[in-house]
Amino acid sequence: MQFCRAQSLDAALEYLAEWGADGCLLAGGTDVMVRYNKSEIAPGAIIHIEGIEPLSLITTHGRTTIGALNTHRGLAGDAAIAARHPAMASAARLVGGWQTQAVGTLGGNICNASPAADLAPPLLVADAHVTLASMRGERRLPLDEFFIDRRVTARRADELLTTIDLEPLPEGSAEVYLKLGRRGAMDVAIAGLAVRLSLQEDGSVGAARVAVCSLAATPRRVPEAEALLLGARLEDDALAAAGQALAGAVSPIDDARGTASYRRRVLPGLLARAARQCGEEARQ
Amino acid sequence: MTAVGANVQRSDGEAKVRGEAVFGVDLAVARMLHARLFRAPVAAGLIRRIDTSAARASDGVHDVVSGADIQNQRAGVAVFDTPLFATDYIAYEGEPIAAVVADTPELAEAALRRIEIEIDEVAPIATPEQALSPGARLVHPSWAEFGTVGGIDFGAHGNMVAEIFSDPGDVEAAFEQADLVVEGTYSTPRQYQAYLEPKMALATYEGGRYTVQVSHQYPFRVRDRLAQVLDVPKSAIRIVGHHIGGGFGAKLDLGLEAYAAVLARRTGRPIKMVNLPDEERLTAPCRENAVVKIRSALRNDGTILAQDVDVVFDSGAYANNGPAGASIPMFMYASIYRVGTARIRSRMAYTNTAPTGAFRGVSGPYLVFAAERHMDQIANELGRDRREYRLATLASDGHKMRNGQALEELSILHKAFELVEARAPWSDQGADQEADQDTDQNGEKLRGIGIAAAVWLTNPQPGQATVKLNEDGGIIIVTAATDSGSGAVTTGLRQIAAECLGLSADHVAVTMPDTDVAGFDAGSQGSRTTHVAGRAVFDATSEVRRRVLETAAGMLEAAKEDLLIEDGIVRVAGVPDMSLSLGQVAMAATFSKGPIVATASYTTPPPPHDPELTKGMLFNTWPTPTYHVHLAEVEVDPVTGKVTVARYVIAQEVGRAINPDAVMGQVVGGVAQGLGYTLWERMEIEDGRYVQRNFETHGLPLACDMPKIETILMEHPEPAGPYGAKGAAEPSIVPVAAVIANAVSDAIGAPIDSIPITPEAVLDALQSLEHGVSG
Ligand SMILES: Cc1cc2nc3c(=O)[nH]c(=O)nc-3n(C[C@H](O)[C@H](O)[C@H](O)COP(=O)(O)OP(=O)(O)OC[C@H]3O[C@@H](n4cnc5c(N)ncnc54)[C@H](O)[C@@H]3O)c2cc1C
């Protein structure tokens, strides 16, 4: 195996063009090294991209643009992120433990395409788009088209994720991310739920976005629940209906962390809790 | 007093923090080879063929051994049932079948993969219930030929390893008199000790003697068991101990030592063995899974007329020290509460699962879980306040347990209830809570409170210490007592010697265990080190002190009675300029009568009891009892089912806290371990195999999951203990599952009679309640 250190985006893209599917990008390495040590992957080359500084930038003109190499710890402590993307900031604080957060990156979290990626639901409710670069050029696509299946993305073998751009939280809106785990840290989500709501003057929901992780092969938006929230007031019956729709729309599995039935059962209560929390914050 | 009662620093603390401490797994010697075990891939099956020829021809391989190549007789602590290698049949997944010696662990591992084996799998006996059902396949067809320690009859039969019971014969009659019968079934899973350092051994064979370097809780047990397994005299074996990366009971019996010794002799080279972390977890002697059934005959006024207790636990494929654990129900039931008469039956079954073994508070956590869940159940059925009912039922000083032994100081428990009450006043809201059930729509947290009490023992087994006064006035304690992290040796023994001789603990050093050098010590188990080894140190140091005074009296031409020792100086009382340092005294002694050295031993004498009252017991008494009350307040999230421990209060009787910080550390650690058992950890078994294969899904709790634990230490000096100390390290784990389950049951208004209390189990219980209420 060859170890290639890329100090610039161009260098990284050249390595990728050369190695294709046999090259494995290494950012923080918190996924790559675990899989490598378990012999789940055996790449011909590891292409280390952590040193490409421009990929750690965050810009806030209009949409928020976040470089793929921003770490969870960095995102959790960033004032602009806290104001514009509070759900993402809290999700970043809940990834693994401090050690994981200190090196694990946003780009790695997305490209790893785990069904349990904590940052994915907050990104999905912020209408995230990803930008992929290769020697052939650049393309931009919505995050929900990027996730294809468990550990499968739309990334082509020679492409590198450079940035993610997001819609900041509009006026009169609020968002939350609720992670269901058993421990206070170092836990893969049993279920993760992000909700972004805008409230109208009369207290009804003007815009609703709901996204989940650990409840399907990929993190995903749940339009079935969004439709029932839209126009509704945040009251028991409406929330229960949306919660039922959410539980019906997802396709959880039994695994070592929890059963499908448990995952479905908690969803209505979690959605009601998240929506009420948004409602309170949006009114303030 | 200065040294005792002070928070003296551990002598190994700085080296451990700096990473200088050498643990067993760190050891290396010249010409050392590495061995790994080939373990059974299935839970049960007949071995048709093993072919080790490819492994033997593999790179860097020096030797490959299986059962056919060596003397492989069955041996064990209590029951002689365990071979080194499975030969004809596999009794559990992970059972050793062969061993490979190679230049490196990696080469040994590679060779392991080239061992070919043909197995006819059979359906495993996966649970004790299955094992004990009529006509069940025998886990060990030759069980009737297994010897036992001292020839004790544990009542073994077929898959039953041990059947221990006490039946006064009047229980049925009492049930006929009852106004009310309350009945419950309480089940608990396995728990893995989850220490950091896997088991290891480094063996050499030289001049007809084996030397094995270990990080083991009980070096003399290793010596004795090796002698048994290798069929050599005990004197042909030397065990040398090193820093232990945790054990909690898992390192009390043989681990890899016998394999390393056999291989060292065969190859003529030192052999080092270390288990891989997952291998360790899947084959560790976990706390056994158990099912306890309790039936109580009651009068309407709450008087318990009789109790009928049936305990079934899972020995796994071999007995280990299981019959010891199976004796403990006799001390956990009909002991602290007045229950009229009681019949107790304790059965332990062989299954095709990894053998279970000792874990801090052996058997206690699940026995007390059942006992104290049952007390709540009775109180609830009677409509009595759960704390008040306990106080009304608590026995008093002199109450006799099933073995006829009196608990002379049981009133300490009444005091413990009062102290907990003063810290965290009891408010039993159980009844109102149920009425509030429908308010949980908003996801309001449900609150509950639980309380539980227990008596625990201090292991009585022997310990010896030699105390030497060096010519510079420093003290060396030579002992085979081990410190598996508690500080019992690295602070406690040093403080006891320092106090006795009137100097600072800084001047006292203690050796690592070496069975050639130190006298017998029964190891780090049952909270015995401070009490038993500490008493030996106290007695030996007292003799050293006597000899110091005798020598100094001659040197100072003063009467012994007029001498005192302060800060390492021997003075004549009232004559300030007449003094000698301990070093001067030691020097003078060394060059006249000989160095000042003394050795002493201690074993707790068995308390009076009646051996006729129980049958099949491996140990008959409950020496040096200590008393415990725990209280917990919990919050339950009705949406997710998650339990949060909001408050945890303990009153623990410790005799005397030699080192209060160290005692607190043990108390808090035990509760943390108990909370892991109760709320988080999983070692589920399906078809004889563990479901959770590694720590990722095991769910050990983290520091951030722990509540603040408020500890009230009750000092009540025990005359036989050094400066009054009793055992303190083990018991805080014992009442935890009980108190948490009681609090959660209270919070949700539905009984939780099995653990772990996973969020899903809580939702299930809440849901069953809704269904129960609506229809
Ligand atoms: C102990 C531990 C706990 C964890 N807990 C959590 C958790 O709670 N929640 C959670 O969501 N995750 C968790 N993870 C997973 C992991 O930490 C995160 O997914 C992290 O964000 C991955 O980032 P990384 O930079 O370390 O990725 P890497 O391991 O470097 O890469 C991950 C994958 O993405 C690819 N990749 C990385 N960067 C790019 C890029 N710019 N363009 C294209 N492909 C790229 C890599 O080739 C690889 O396939 C945990 C991991 C560990 C070890």
Side-chain angles (χ1 to χ4, degrees):
Chain A
M1 191 205 57
Q2 195 163 323
F3 189 84
C4 314
R5 175 173 303 185
Q7 298 287 19
S8 69
L9 180 58
D10 287 347
L13 296 183
E14 272 173 40
Y15 282 129
L16 271 178
E18 179 188 340
W19 287 95
D22 207 22
C24 174
L25 291 172
L26 179 80
T30 56
D31 278 314
V32 169
M33 291 317 296
V34 172
R35 302 188 71 199
Y36 181 82
N37 286 331
K38 284 194 196 163
S39 305
E40 286 175 11
I41 53 172
I46 282 192
I47 304 162
H48 189 215
I49 58 172
E50 224 176 354
I52 307 177
E53 277 171 25
L55 295 187
S56 299
L57 296 177
I58 296 177
T59 59
T60 53
H61 319 295
R63 285 172 72 89
T64 312
T65 303
I66 307 176
L69 288 178
N70 278 282
T71 64
H72 300 298
R73 215 55 236 147
L75 293 172
D78 188 284
I81 297 293
R84 295 176 145 231
H85 303 283
M88 184 166 72
S90 54
R93 267 191 289 276
L94 293 168
V95 171
W98 274 62
Q99 296 94 326
T100 333
Q101 293 166 15
V103 291
T105 63
L106 176 62
N109 196 256
I110 296 172
C111 292
N112 192 48
S114 156
D118 275 309
L119 288 242
L123 292 173
L124 287 166
V125 299
D127 180 41
H129 282 57
V130 296
T131 297
L132 297 162
S134 70
M135 301 271 284
R136 297 173 289 113
E138 245 184 36
R139 59 182 181 129
R140 178 173 173 271
L141 72 162
L143 182 59
D144 44 17
E145 288 174 27
F146 181 73
F147 290 132
I148 291 176
D149 204 342
R150 185 176 182 279
R151 293 204 181 278
V152 182
T153 68
R155 185 181 83 88
R156 298 188 187 117
D158 63 346
E159 284 179 326
L160 185 144
L161 172 69
T162 52
T163 58
I164 297 103
D165 60 272
L166 317 168
E167 178 200 331
L169 193 61
E171 278 294 303
S173 311
E175 61 173 26
V176 298
Y177 177 64
L178 298 182
K179 174 175 181 171
L180 182 60
R182 294 196 55 204
R183 310 195 288 197
M186 281 293 179
D187 223 356
V188 179
I190 300 171
L193 171 70
V195 175
R196 180 185 276 200
L197 295 181
S198 304
L199 286 194
Q200 287 169 321
E201 294 284 299
D202 66 355
S204 66
V205 174
R209 288 185 190 150
V210 175
V212 294
C213 65
S214 290
L215 290 166
T218 67
R220 52 166 286 204
R221 286 270 292 269
V222 190
E224 297 88 338
E226 295 173 355
L228 287 172
L229 287 173
L230 200 61
R233 286 167 184 284
L234 299 179
E235 285 160 5
D236 289 354
D237 289 350
L239 291 175
Q244 288 310 324
L246 171 61
V250 297
S251 42
I253 54 165
D254 289 338
D255 65 19
R257 278 170 264 284
T259 63
S261 132
Y262 175 69
R263 291 179 155 107
R264 269 191 227 279
R265 269 194 286 171
V266 296
L267 282 178
L270 276 189
L271 181 66
R273 181 172 286 171
R276 285 209 167 87
Q277 227 167 296
C278 285
E280 273 162 32
E281 283 173 32
R283 275 190 208 100
Q284 278 165 10
Chain B
M1 296 219 202
T2 49
V4 161
N7 291 318
V8 166
Q9 288 204 353
R10 311 168 54 115
S11 52
D12 60 350
E14 194 165 322
K16 282 181 174 169
V17 171
R18 289 185 187 282
E20 295 164 356
V22 176
F23 290 83
V25 292
D26 300 324
L27 296 172
V29 296
R31 299 180 64 245
M32 173 173 99
L33 297 174
H34 300 264
R36 303 257 307 119
L37 292 175
F38 177 79
R39 293 177 179 275
V42 301
L46 301 173
I47 300 175
R48 287 296 171 216
R49 190 179 66 91
I50 309 176
D51 184 350
T52 57
S53 53
R56 218 175 274 278
S58 194
D59 240 15
V61 167
H62 291 248
D63 195 9
V64 181
V65 193
S66 65
D69 305 317
I70 58 154
Q71 182 180 318
N72 193 35
Q73 86 266 18
R74 294 175 187 269
V77 179
V79 181
F80 307 153
D81 59 358
T82 317
L84 274 183
F85 295 110
T87 48
D88 307 335
Y89 64 93
I90 290 166
Y92 69 96
E93 186 197 22
E95 181 168 24
I97 293 176
V100 172
V101 181
D103 288 322
T104 68
E106 292 74 23
L107 289 171
E109 183 69 36
L112 284 186
R113 284 197 279 266
R114 303 183 66 185
I115 292 179
E116 287 172 29
I117 186 161
E118 266 176 47
I119 300 165
D120 286 345
E121 264 193 86
V122 300
I125 300 287
T127 65
E129 294 71 31
Q130 197 186 338
L132 298 181
S133 64
R137 179 176 62 77
L138 292 175
V139 172
H140 298 295
S142 62
W143 66 270
E145 291 151 33
F146 297 164
T148 64
V149 62
I152 300 178
D153 177 8
F154 298 119
H157 188 83
N159 285 334
M160 185 119 68
V161 184
E163 179 173 23
I164 295 172
F165 65 92
S166 164
D167 185 357
D170 53 356
V171 169
E172 286 312 326
F175 271 87
E176 279 159 26
Q177 306 288 310
D179 297 328
L180 174 73
V181 173
V182 172
E183 218 173 319
T185 300
Y186 313 93
S187 50
T188 50
R190 289 190 181 197
Q191 186 181 20
Y192 171 44
Q193 294 87 344
Y195 37 87
L196 281 177
E197 184 196 25
K199 287 198 270 301
M200 59 70 57
L202 171 52
T204 52
Y205 180 75
E206 208 181 288
R209 295 189 85 216
Y210 296 91
T211 300
V212 188
Q213 304 199 60
V214 298
S215 48
H216 197 279
Q217 292 174 247
Y218 190 171
F220 273 96
R221 162 76 55 79
V222 178
R223 182 199 65 171
D224 296 354
R225 290 274 283 115
L226 271 184
Q228 181 194 34
V229 170
L230 304 175
D231 205 8
V232 300
K234 289 179 183 180
S235 298
I237 296 165
R238 174 184 178 201
I239 308 299
V240 180
H242 296 272
H243 289 301
I244 306 167
F248 307 107
K251 296 174 183 167
L252 280 173
D253 193 10
L254 277 190
L256 298 169
E257 298 84 357
Y259 302 100
V262 165
L263 296 169
R265 178 160 189 180
R266 281 173 64 96
T267 57
R269 302 269 296 262
I271 300 288
K272 183 173 179 190
M273 298 181 77
V274 181
N275 274 338
L276 299 180
D278 290 345
E279 180 183 26
E280 182 73 28
R281 183 177 168 280
L282 295 173
T283 59
C286 288
R287 185 188 309 294
E288 54 284 337
N289 45 307
V291 176
V292 181
K293 292 195 166 106
I294 308 178
R295 219 157 55 94
S296 292
L298 294 158
R299 270 213 295 261
N300 284 331
D301 68 359
T303 308
I304 305 176
L305 299 172
Q307 246 174 20
D308 193 5
V309 180
D310 181 63
V311 185
V312 174
F313 35 125
D314 189 348
S315 181
Y318 295 103
N320 273 340
N321 205 16
S327 304
I328 292 179
M330 299 304 158
F331 310 108
M332 293 290 100
Y333 298 108
S335 59
I336 60 173
Y337 295 114
R338 288 180 287 106
V339 304
T341 180
R343 174 167 60 202
I344 300 168
R345 181 159 74 138
S346 166
R347 287 175 295 162
M348 177 157 222
Y350 282 127
T351 59
N352 288 122
T353 61
T356 56
F359 187 155
R360 185 186 208 155
V362 173
S363 308
Y366 55 82
L367 298 175
V368 170
F369 170 73
E372 289 285 2
R373 281 297 303 133
H374 191 69
M375 286 300 280
D376 264 27
Q377 199 180 335
I378 295 176
N380 287 338
E381 294 212 11
L382 294 169
R384 297 270 293 266
D385 175 277
R386 293 172 292 136
R387 178 175 183 275
E388 175 273 320
Y389 181 67
R390 281 181 171 78
L391 290 175
T393 313
L394 208 56
S396 43
D397 285 351
H399 183 70
K400 282 195 173 156
M401 298 192 285
R402 296 320 298 168
N403 65 340
Q405 175 190 340
L407 289 173
E408 302 291 1
E409 297 177 310
L410 190 53
S411 56
I412 294 174
L413 261 187
H414 293 261
K415 189 86 200 301
F417 271 99
E418 281 166 28
L419 288 171
V420 168
E421 178 66 12
R423 177 72 69 96
W426 176 258
S427 60
D428 196 343
Q429 307 159 333
D432 323 336
Q433 195 90 45
E434 276 171 54
D436 293 345
Q437 278 305 318
D438 47 2
T439 60
D440 67 8
Q441 292 291 349
N442 291 336
E444 302 276 341
K445 300 277 165 73
L446 305 170
R447 293 179 147 268
I449 189 166
I451 198 161
V455 57
W456 200 247
L457 85 164
T458 310
N459 181 309
Q461 294 182 63
Q464 185 177 71
T466 296
V467 174
K468 307 202 290 181
L469 180 63
N470 279 343
E471 293 75 18
D472 60 353
I475 291 284
I476 308 288
I477 301 171
V478 182
T479 173
T482 60
D483 196 314
S484 50
S486 69
V489 172
T490 58
T491 62
L493 298 188
R494 291 170 52 237
Q495 284 174 263
I496 289 164
E499 182 73 38
C500 183
L501 212 52
L503 42 70
S504 146
D506 296 343
H507 298 295
V508 184
V510 59
T511 60
M512 282 291 188
D514 182 332
T515 58
D516 271 8
V517 176
F520 187 91
D521 184 277
S524 168
Q525 55 170 333
S527 309
R528 62 174 283 288
T529 301
T530 305
H531 182 73
V532 176
R535 170 66 188 269
V537 167
F538 176 81
D539 288 352
T541 314
S542 299
E543 173 60 13
V544 165
R545 183 187 171 91
R546 196 190 62 74
R547 301 214 3 223
V548 164
L549 294 179
E550 190 178 78
T551 308
M555 294 166 76
L556 294 167
E557 296 180 348
K560 264 196 299 189
E561 300 68 42
D562 295 337
L563 299 182
L564 35 101
I565 311 178
E566 277 170 4
D567 287 336
I569 307 289
V570 187
R571 298 178 197 287
V572 183
V575 190
D577 51 350
M578 294 268 284
S579 70
L580 290 166
S581 71
L582 282 177
Q584 288 171 305
V585 178
M587 183 73 88
T590 300
F591 289 92
S592 53
K593 291 182 195 158
I596 298 182
V597 183
T599 297
S601 310
Y602 184 68
T603 307
T604 310
H609 66 287
D610 180 354
E612 296 304 313
L613 293 175
T614 53
K615 291 260 171 345
M617 302 274 276
L618 183 55
F619 64 93
N620 286 305
T621 64
W622 201 242
T624 327
T626 59
Y627 298 93
H628 310 267
V629 172
H630 288 208
L631 174 141
E633 294 173 17
V634 301
E635 286 177 3
V636 177
D637 181 337
V639 169
T640 62
K642 258 176 92 161
V643 174
T644 308
V645 181
R647 186 154 197 206
Y648 204 101
V649 181
I650 299 179
Q652 173 164 337
E653 194 259 326
V654 296
R656 177 80 195 276
I658 301 289
N659 186 318
D661 272 359
V663 175
M664 294 290 191
Q666 290 303 299
V667 173
V668 169
V671 173
Q673 227 165 10
L675 290 173
Y677 177 54
T678 311
L679 294 173
W680 281 280
E681 296 164 27
R682 287 183 302 172
M683 287 295 277
E684 295 161 342
I685 296 171
E686 242 172 61
D687 296 331
R689 301 177 81 235
Y690 286 116
V691 177
Q692 290 80 20
R693 307 295 291 179
N694 53 44
F695 274 124
E696 193 188 344
T697 48
H698 179 103
L700 211 62
L702 308 174
C704 65
D705 297 311
M706 286 300 122
K708 179 168 179 250
I709 290 152
E710 302 170 49
T711 307
I712 306 162
L713 294 185
M714 299 170 69
E715 297 207 340
H716 198 273
E718 156 65 38
Y723 298 102
K726 293 184 181 182
E730 239 192 340
S732 67
I733 196 174
V734 171
V736 182
V739 79
I740 296 294
N742 283 347
V744 175
S745 303
D746 178 43
I748 66 177
I752 295 284
D753 290 335
S754 61
I755 59 168
I757 310 172
T758 62
E760 184 157 13
V762 172
L763 286 195
D764 287 344
L766 276 169
Q767 227 153 43
S768 70
L769 195 72
E770 280 161 29
H771 293 153
V773 168
S774 61

